[in-house]
Amino acid sequence: YMIGVMKEGNAMNTEEQLRLVKKAIKGDPDAYGQLIAEHQEYLYKMAYLYVRNEDAALDVVGTVMLNAYQGIRSLKEPQYFKTWITRILIRTAQNELKKMVYYSELDNISLPDRYAGVTLEEKCDLNSAIEQLSEKYRTVIYLKYFSGFTIKEIAFAMDAPEGSVKAYLSRAREELKRILKEDYLYAN
């Protein structure tokens, strides 16, 4: 499964995307292909956040593309395509993780622009801290801060009540603070 390079600033508008989702739900493979082309970079980055390995991330994206294509007729609300496909990606990545033999490497993950002033050491500390979180806490952190999802979208993607998502986010942030503070105390 080759992932092409997306051109920046070439994002399709919401109306166009909605039209394509509706066509894809009716079985139009070209419309589905255009949707995947639009979301492939996002899907790859999310998969990589989970599996931390390029080949495994590509495998996850390939599986997601196939499973989503086979199941797109079940998508009842076309405006939630991205959260729907993210839900498939989370399940697929979690299954892939269970299969993988885990080995550690320096994570080369690109954080959103708002973290541009963060040093490489701080990124590694943050990645390391996120890795120590339980799966559901990691997921809410990824979806909220790396994908910019709303609480409602996260709830849909995780198939959890919004109140639980808010609680997970709060606890995840507290855990991250605790882990980062401990690491800082032991490092100095």
Side-chain angles (χ1 to χ4, degrees):
Y1 304 100
M2 287 302 294
I3 303 285
V5 178
M6 268 185 59
K7 293 181 182 85
E8 288 300 315
N10 203 13
M12 83 179 52
N13 66 42
T14 312
E15 209 173 285
E16 190 180 349
Q17 224 173 99
L18 199 54
R19 186 180 54 75
L20 285 174
V21 174
K22 288 175 181 172
K23 283 174 125 181
I25 289 170
K26 289 178 183 162
D28 183 334
D30 293 336
Y32 180 76
Q34 286 178 268
L35 284 168
I36 290 301
E38 179 70 15
H39 291 90
Q40 65 189 5
E41 185 179 350
Y42 161 77
L43 291 170
Y44 175 78
K45 284 178 179 176
M46 279 301 290
Y48 189 84
L49 281 171
Y50 273 91
V51 296
R52 306 284 184 174
N53 172 295
E54 289 179 25
D55 291 337
L58 288 171
D59 287 346
V60 166
V61 172
T63 303
V64 168
M65 287 165 36
L66 184 63
N67 290 347
Y69 182 70
Q70 291 170 338
I72 196 158
R73 284 190 170 92
S74 70
L75 177 59
K76 301 286 181 254
E77 299 181 64
Q79 69 272 28
Y80 290 122
F81 175 79
K82 188 174 180 180
T83 47
W84 174 79
I85 203 165
T86 300
R87 182 192 281 189
I88 295 170
L89 183 132
I90 290 168
R91 271 192 240 119
T92 306
Q94 288 169 343
N95 290 339
E96 182 66 24
L97 272 177
K98 289 173 191 164
K99 289 188 255 173
M100 283 174 66
V101 177
Y102 225 63
Y103 62 93
S104 188
E105 62 183 44
L106 183 65
D107 297 316
N108 185 16
I109 164 181
S110 63
L111 293 170
D113 291 342
R114 65 176 171 269
Y115 299 112
V118 178
T119 67
L120 178 61
E121 189 178 346
E122 289 168 329
K123 281 183 189 178
C124 291
D125 288 348
L126 180 60
N127 287 336
S128 168
I130 291 171
E131 281 299 305
Q132 293 177 50
L133 297 175
S134 70
E135 197 172 273
K136 66 184 170 194
Y137 292 173
R138 252 195 333 264
T139 299
V140 294
I141 292 292
Y142 290 156
L143 293 177
K144 177 76 177 151
Y145 298 106
F146 292 83
S147 296
F149 274 34
T150 64
I151 298 293
K152 186 175 184 169
E153 290 169 331
I154 295 169
F156 180 83
M158 291 181 70
D159 200 15
E162 287 182 39
S164 296
V165 169
K166 288 176 185 172
Y168 296 163
L169 258 177
S170 176
R171 290 187 200 125
R173 285 193 296 254
E174 288 304 312
E175 277 289 296
L176 281 175
K177 282 181 201 165
R178 185 189 58 74
I179 294 165
L180 290 167
K181 192 181 289 181
E182 280 178 14
D183 286 352
Y184 179 76
L185 290 174
Y186 291 123
N188 290 305

